[in-house]
Amino acid sequence: MKIGATLRMALRALRRNKMRSTLTALGIIIGVGAVIAMVGIGNGAKSQVEAQIASLGQNVVLVFAGNWSSSGARSGWGGAGTMTVDDALAIGREIPGVITVSPEVRDRQQVLANGLNWNTQILGEGPDYLDIRQWVLTDGAMFTDQDVRSTAKVCVIGKTIINQLFPSDDPVGKVVIIRNIPFKILGVLTPKGLSVMGTDQDDVIIIPYTSEMKRVSKRTNLSSINVQSASPDVSDSVQRGISDLLRQRHRLGQNRDDDFTIRGQQEITDTFTATTNTMTVLLGAIASVSLIVGGIGIMNIMLVSVTERTREIGIRMAVGAHGRDILLQFLIEAIMLSSVGGVIGIVLGVGSAELLSVWKQWPMVISASSVIVAFVFSAAVGVFFGFYPARKASRLDPIDALRYE
């Protein structure tokens, strides 16, 4: 029998029971829609994490203070006070592939301005810090090398500081008090929002690291060092060079652990995206269960259909239809149910993802690959679960089928 005639017969059979066909396809519709929506949520979370990590800058290597161990006593991470400004300068001077370096000192202080006060993070940085982080100013300018050398009382501030201390004023040129020391505001940072750790990146005041160390915190050691390499290709060699240099400068013997920690941007990205990848797979797997349930529904209904149409099958065989024709007809019916359900499910899934994105402000990324996989999987469900009923129909004995009441 020709394929065209078999298709027409399958369509007529499905149209005769419109409600049953619709309810049968509903399991596939819900399953495909759920897969697309859930994978979209997972991909959206992954893209958000990647965007936040990208806010660190390009080709960034971070060097943190590590821990120390002495006479059996061990400090926690960040407890070692061995990283100095000279270490940072040596990295920029001696490591091939390093473009620029910014020594960093972190602190929290209660600050005052405009009759208001706010507890915020104070970052002591070098003048190239904004270039490393690819962080631009919406107004004003960054402090200079001369400001660093002279421990100038100048700063740039984030959007949160403006909201809390200068809600109705232009802050550039005004003064903010840090530990009773007036710092002149030179510029305003572009808002960056939350970091991958959930902290507000805009809740910050950046001052020269020399001013932080000598005027504010009175520290002699650095919290960390921001390093920018020339390209991703040299990032690994830069990290190895920094490790060797710091071990030499800190006089760490062969059997002693590092008193610093080095993290490359790609390593940070891999760490955080591993979690989102796991979540995406888990959400997709959970949603796929409904596809399996929908496939079982198709098999159940097709078995009922075989029973109901036993005499019809017997008549077709009596007038010359072969078993493979019967097999093909029922298989096509199952595939059509799952495929049409898959198409409707795709529309439902994409629409649901868009609604959730607008309603809950969740990031959503619907990839073409997830849509294709969901549709192919739905068609495969139709083949898999439709084969047994179709095979059963094709193997009916024509005499018994004609006698069936």
Side-chain angles (χ1 to χ4, degrees), residues 48-80:
Q48 187 177 43
V49 168
E50 289 173 345
Q52 289 173 345
I53 292 173
S55 70
L56 290 174
Q58 291 295 320
N59 310 320
V60 176
V61 176
L62 304 176
V63 186
F64 302 99
N67 58 6
W68 55 261
S69 178
S70 178
S71 301
R74 302 171 65 199
S75 78
W77 183 85

Side-chain angles (χ1 to χ4, degrees), residues 259-279:
D259 58 0
F260 54 87
T261 302
I262 302 175
R263 291 286 182 268
Q265 193 167 8
Q266 187 58 48
E267 184 180 357
I268 297 171
T269 300
D270 292 343
T271 299
F272 283 100
T273 56
T275 302
T276 57
N277 286 337
T278 302
M279 182 182 72

Side-chain angles (χ1 to χ4, degrees), residues 191-206:
K192 279 205 171 188
L194 298 179
S195 70
V196 292
M197 303 300 293
T199 58
D200 185 1
Q201 297 182 89
D202 304 317
D203 189 5
V204 66
I205 297 176
I206 302 176

Side-chain angles (χ1 to χ4, degrees), residues 309-321 326 398-399 401-402:
R309 294 157 62 187
T310 300
R311 282 182 62 82
E312 174 193 330
I313 295 168
I315 293 170
R316 287 193 59 199
M317 286 182 170
V319 297
I326 305 298
I399 302 301
L402 286 170

Side-chain angles (χ1 to χ4, degrees), residues 185-253:
I185 300 171
L186 299 181
V188 175
L189 296 162
T190 301
K192 279 205 171 188
L194 298 179
S195 70
V196 292
M197 303 300 293
T199 58
D200 185 1
Q201 297 182 89
D202 304 317
D203 189 5
V204 66
I205 297 176
I206 302 176
I207 65 178
Y209 66 87
T210 51
S211 303
E212 164 63 28
M213 297 174 76
K214 296 180 181 179
R215 295 182 183 274
V216 179
S217 63
K218 309 296 184 181
R219 290 175 56 175
T220 58
N221 60 289
L222 300 177
S223 304
S224 57
I225 302 172
N226 297 283
V227 180
Q228 186 177 32
S229 60
S231 70
D233 297 334
V234 301
S235 180
D236 289 342
S237 63
V238 165
Q239 291 182 58
R240 289 192 297 270
I242 293 173
S243 178
D244 294 341
L245 177 65
L246 292 182
R247 287 190 64 85
Q248 178 186 353
R249 291 182 58 85
H250 297 178
R251 296 181 173 85
L252 298 176

Side-chain angles (χ1 to χ4, degrees), residues 310-339:
T310 300
R311 282 182 62 82
E312 174 193 330
I313 295 168
I315 293 170
R316 287 193 59 199
M317 286 182 170
V319 297
H322 296 91
R324 63 176 177 273
D325 299 321
I326 305 298
L327 173 69
L328 186 61
Q329 178 186 344
F330 279 85
L331 198 57
I332 286 174
E333 289 181 23
I335 294 173
M336 289 179 69
L337 281 172
S338 61
S339 298

